[in-house]
Amino acid sequence: MKSFLTTILFSLFTTSLFATEVVDYVNPLVGSMSKKLLSTGNTYPAVALPWGMNFWTPQTGEMGDGWTYVYTADKIRGFKQTHQPSPWINDYGQFSLMPVIGYKIGQEERASWFSHKAEVATPYYYSVYLADHDITTELTPTERSAAFRFTFPESDSSYIVIDAFDNGSYIEVIPEKNTVIGYTTKNSGGVTPDFKNYFVIEFDTPFASSDVWSDSKVVPGKKELEANHVGAIIGFKTRRGQTVQAKVSSSFISFDQAWLNLKELGDGNFERIKKSGRDRWNDILGRIQVEGGSTDQYRTFYSCFYRSVLFPRKFYEINAQGEPVHYSPYEGGVKKGFLYTDTGFWDTFRALFPFLNLMYPSVNEEIQAGLANAYKESGFLPEWASPGHRFCLSLIHISEPTRQAEIS
């Protein structure tokens, strides 16, 4: 009997041990208990694929705050597409979605209390219960798109607020297609005057109502609006436990390219996309397997590893002909070829890029091609790119005759 019980217990232990995959050691919240005067990492939970063009994160900070998510906060204002590499560099091309009960538009009134006990944060999936609205929000990303699933209570006043942020934005509601499109021009520098992040949002549930707003005030009779700070509020009549799903994508090139990028989600099956993201992270992180440490040491290692394969991010998209193309933050317009961005080069040549050459040579080949394109388009090799040159470090200038000679 003792031998039988020992066998059972050993079987349960080994099954549990081997059921843990490397991605399960990652905690995206590590480093988020920071503030401007005291950094413990200055990170936010980046829900993304490795080197993905777009990241998603819960937003606890005010619009424009570089500390977009801090662990000590107790309210969420929205779920933001972000490209921020650092609070000091701040963000660009951001917009957000926020589910609410009641007609609440402004970032203060729509905010909801949440608890970390009701929060699940992984690299490929995020979920949280919004207590003030009795709504659960889930999201799972691809490289340029994301699937959302909102679980509502019974209500005739269920809404999703879409915020295109300030400093110039556009919104259009297309009720007959259950769709909202728009763009944001919000940035922190390093762009040309034609910069836009075009987004498309396709819902699986017909709209009960839809309005557009400017500076948190509804503009009656409008379905399309362009101003400093615009957005939309979409209404649904929901049963308790009813889900409303949304497919979201964006492009720095055009609305047509954003729709093309949306195809990354396929049929939009949330669980399939989630599993695909999990598999991708296990593949990338599984290139290194560690032994002999404690569980806490594994968590530290793989949480840092996860951060090491987020940046530099892809800044290129795949056009209808299957070719890599990119908006040029250096010259403007659309150029052919690869481009990566959102990285400073403080000692990355000593550590990150040799590491990428060893572990992911095909990715680093694209990154180096992107650096060559940055040089061709601007005459400089970037020292801090986000998405174009940011003047927080000096730039290495190469004279025009030399540059043209080397390009040819």
Side-chain angles (χ1 to χ4, degrees):
M1 183 66 176
K2 182 177 180 181
S3 176
F4 175 75
L5 289 174
T6 300
T7 301
I8 292 292
L9 289 172
F10 179 77
S11 176
L12 289 172
F13 172 76
T14 53
T15 299
S16 174
L17 180 66
F18 290 110
T20 299
E21 297 180 296
V22 287
V23 72
D24 296 319
Y25 290 118
V26 177
N27 182 357
L29 301 182
V30 169
S32 64
M33 192 180 288
S34 297
K35 55 186 178 181
K36 191 170 185 178
L37 296 178
L38 178 64
S39 166
T40 61
N42 280 336
T43 65
Y44 56 86
V47 188
L49 292 192
W51 307 290
M53 188 177 87
N54 300 323
F55 298 173
W56 290 88
T57 191
Q59 179 190 348
T60 64
E62 295 181 356
M63 183 176 60
D65 188 349
W67 281 259
T68 189
Y69 176 101
V70 292
Y71 192 83
T72 51
D74 58 13
K75 285 194 172 183
I76 287 175
R77 303 165 188 265
F79 299 90
K80 184 175 74 164
Q81 186 189 99
T82 179
H83 309 92
Q84 179 175 297
S86 158
W88 312 108
I89 295 296
N90 216 312
D91 210 345
Y92 63 90
Q94 61 267 48
F95 64 94
S96 71
L97 290 77
M98 181 65 181
V100 295
I101 297 297
Y103 207 83
K104 301 170 182 177
I105 296 175
Q107 60 175 326
E108 295 294 339
E109 61 179 345
R110 74 188 185 221
S112 173
W113 185 87
F114 78 107
S115 168
H116 295 297
K117 293 180 180 179
E119 179 184 41
V120 177
T122 76
Y124 60 90
Y125 169 77
Y126 180 85
S127 173
V128 69
Y129 175 67
L130 302 171
D132 288 334
H133 303 304
D134 192 21
I135 298 171
T136 297
T137 295
E138 302 168 272
L139 70 93
T140 186
T142 61
E143 288 187 337
R144 299 171 185 86
S145 304
F148 278 79
R149 184 164 62 190
F150 305 100
T151 303
F152 283 94
E154 183 173 355
S155 176
D156 290 337
S157 301
S158 297
Y159 294 94
I160 294 175
V161 180
I162 299 158
D163 192 335
F165 279 49
D166 62 354
N167 292 350
S169 48
Y170 167 83
I171 202 80
E172 181 181 357
V173 179
I174 311 171
E176 63 274 18
K177 294 184 178 180
N178 304 329
T179 295
V180 177
I181 67 172
Y183 63 71
T184 174
T185 66
K186 191 170 179 65
N187 67 85
S188 302
V191 300
T192 55
D194 60 340
F195 169 79
K196 290 183 176 71
N197 186 21
Y198 302 86
F199 60 83
V200 295
I201 306 171
E202 188 176 69
F203 293 91
D204 71 343
T205 304
F207 299 169
S209 66
S210 59
D211 290 305
V212 295
W213 51 265
S214 177
D215 293 325
S216 300
K217 296 179 181 179
V218 169
V219 180
K222 292 281 190 179
K223 295 299 178 186
E224 182 180 7
L225 197 61
E226 184 175 20
N228 175 63
H229 182 193
V230 302
I233 180 166
I234 308 302
F236 304 92
K237 295 181 179 180
T238 56
R239 306 178 306 276
R240 181 157 193 83
Q242 180 178 343
T243 62
V244 173
Q245 298 194 55
K247 295 192 295 183
V248 186
S249 192
S250 70
S251 168
F252 294 103
I253 294 172
S254 67
F255 280 122
D256 286 343
Q257 184 65 46
W259 283 112
L260 196 60
N261 292 344
L262 193 70
K263 293 182 178 180
E264 289 184 349
L265 296 171
D267 62 0
N269 183 284
F270 190 93
E271 295 301 328
R272 177 189 56 77
I273 298 165
K274 178 181 173 183
K275 183 180 184 302
S276 178
R278 178 180 174 86
D279 291 345
R280 175 67 171 156
W281 275 107
N282 274 321
D283 173 50
I284 294 300
L285 298 177
R287 305 291 176 90
I288 300 176
Q289 295 189 10
V290 294
E291 298 177 348
S294 66
T295 299
D296 282 346
Q297 288 173 322
Y298 292 162
R299 288 171 178 160
T300 298
F301 176 83
Y302 283 107
S303 295
C304 292
F305 193 174
Y306 144 81
R307 294 283 171 191
S308 298
V309 292
L310 288 173
F311 300 103
R313 78 167 73 250
K314 292 178 179 179
F315 202 66
Y316 69 86
E317 305 171 49
I318 306 300
N319 67 14
Q321 290 71 46
E323 303 165 328
V325 292
H326 61 273
Y327 152 74
S328 173
Y330 305 105
E331 285 187 310
V334 180
K335 309 294 182 182
K336 291 185 177 181
F338 299 109
L339 194 68
Y340 281 69
T341 192
D342 289 323
T343 184
F345 288 81
W346 284 345
D347 284 348
T348 51
F349 69 96
R350 301 179 191 273
L352 178 64
F353 289 105
F355 170 74
L356 295 177
N357 268 330
L358 286 170
M359 303 304 302
Y360 314 102
S362 62
V363 174
N364 213 30
E365 184 178 358
E366 290 186 0
I367 294 172
Q368 303 313 312
L371 285 173
N373 284 331
Y375 166 47
K376 292 175 184 178
E377 293 165 24
S378 73
F380 296 91
L381 289 173
E383 289 197 348
W384 237 120
S386 183
H389 294 308
R390 299 290 298 277
F391 295 96
C392 59
L393 288 172
S394 61
L395 298 176
I396 300 173
H397 182 262
I398 301 172
S399 67
E400 184 64 18
T402 302
R403 183 168 76 98
Q404 292 300 328
E406 291 187 9
I407 291 174
S408 61

